[in-house]
Amino acid sequence: MANSTKLLTEFILMGFSDIREQQILHAVLFFIMYLAALIGNFLTITLTILDHSLHSPMYFFLRTLSLLDLCFISVTVPKAIIHSLTQNSSISFMGCVAQDFLVALFAWAELGLLTVMSYDRYVAICCSLYYQVIMRRASCEQMVAATWLSGVISGLLNTAVTFSLPFCGSNFVHQFFCEIPSLLKLVCSEKNVAEIGAITVTTSLAFVCFLSIIISYIQIFSTVLRIPSVEGRSKAFSTCIPHLMVVTVFLSTGSIASLKPMSESSSVWDLLVSVFYSIVPPTLNPIIYSLKNRDMKAAFWRLLRKTVFK
């Protein structure tokens, strides 16, 4: 068993189906979602850079989120499309290591950033008089740097533990990318101290983020409900509800994928859960946060008039 990992040179990503027509359909659907994610996130990044009215902490975090989403979806979807079109679903051992690390990095960095964004909304609504003092540019940059650092640490920890374990038997991964829970099903040994430690650390980190978001939104909603103006309550809810929806989908599906017992067999449900935390958020985030935002729409039309109708 100790040498089984050394002998393993590649993994086979099973994907959704081995029927050719269904593979083509999956490739088309993934391409549409990837194209939508590229356009939406690039547009968000462009607008928040070029339009000076969007140079506030909230839009700085949105720009970072769009960059994370672009990286996150680009790690998995292009290769999945190529696999479906070419019917060659193999990935090298080192390619799987790299994909596993990057997926963990961007997923945990996004969780950290969503936590920071909930804090930003808390300060904006509950401590509005001190918003400019608390959310200074340097503070925002430090918080974003911390989210990236947490992603790197979590990615290194999970990847190192996963690939230090001996693999044996089949090299078939019942996923469309190298996902840690799916890879752990191929491990020969039972859970060891390192794996339990990694699960404990990452679960604790996720719980702290989740608890921080819940506390922020309890404070936000209690403050919003005291606003006498209907228009004021509506505006506050319009900036908070979308963020809460994204957090709920991302955390719930990510938790299901990570905490599902290893003994259970793989199913289409596992694939759908992975789609909902790795592909759906990067695709929908620009729509939820940007395209429905009044300031973003105004910035888009200003940019359009400058570039097309000048």
Side-chain angles (χ1 to χ4, degrees), residues 205-219:
L205 178 61
F207 179 74
V208 169
C209 291
F210 174 72
L211 189 62
S212 300
I213 292 169
I214 292 299
I215 293 173
S216 295
Y217 273 97
I218 289 174
Q219 296 294 323

Side-chain angles (χ1 to χ4, degrees), residues 119-256:
Y119 175 70
D120 172 67
R121 291 300 84 208
Y122 161 75
V123 176
I125 293 173
C126 302
C127 311
S128 55
L129 295 177
Y130 303 99
Y131 184 77
Q132 296 298 330
V133 177
I134 298 174
M135 304 302 292
R136 299 189 308 273
R137 182 177 180 84
S139 300
C140 295
E141 290 174 347
Q142 289 168 3
M143 284 187 279
V144 167
T147 64
W148 282 95
L149 180 60
S150 68
V152 171
I153 293 173
S154 298
L156 287 172
L157 180 63
N158 283 283
T159 305
V161 169
T162 301
F163 288 94
S164 66
L165 299 173
F167 294 97
C168 61
S170 172
N171 65 339
F172 290 91
V173 180
H174 292 274
Q175 264 298 350
F176 63 94
F177 67 96
C178 286
E179 183 192 48
I180 290 176
S182 299
L183 288 169
L184 289 177
K185 294 179 181 179
L186 308 180
V187 171
C188 306
S189 59
E190 297 294 329
K191 284 184 172 64
N192 59 17
V193 175
E195 185 183 353
I196 293 173
I199 292 173
T200 302
V201 170
T202 53
T203 302
S204 300
L205 178 61
F207 179 74
V208 169
C209 291
F210 174 72
L211 189 62
S212 300
I213 292 169
I214 292 299
I215 293 173
S216 295
Y217 273 97
I218 289 174
Q219 296 294 323
I220 288 170
F221 288 139
S222 63
T223 301
V224 168
L225 292 174
R226 292 197 298 266
I227 297 175
S229 166
V230 175
E231 183 181 353
R233 288 199 299 269
S234 176
K235 184 177 181 180
F237 278 124
S238 68
T239 61
C240 295
I241 295 298
H243 179 262
L244 196 56
M245 289 170 53
V246 171
V247 169
T248 301
V249 172
F250 184 72
L251 270 178
S252 60
T253 53
S255 300
I256 291 171

Side-chain angles (χ1 to χ4, degrees), residues 21 35 42 46 66 85 95 147 166 180 185 223 247 249-250 259 267 275 301:
E21 290 76 11
L35 188 61
F42 269 125
T46 302
S66 289
L85 293 177
T147 64
I180 290 176
K185 294 179 181 179
T223 301
V247 169
V249 172
F250 184 72
L259 301 178
S267 65
V275 168
W301 288 113

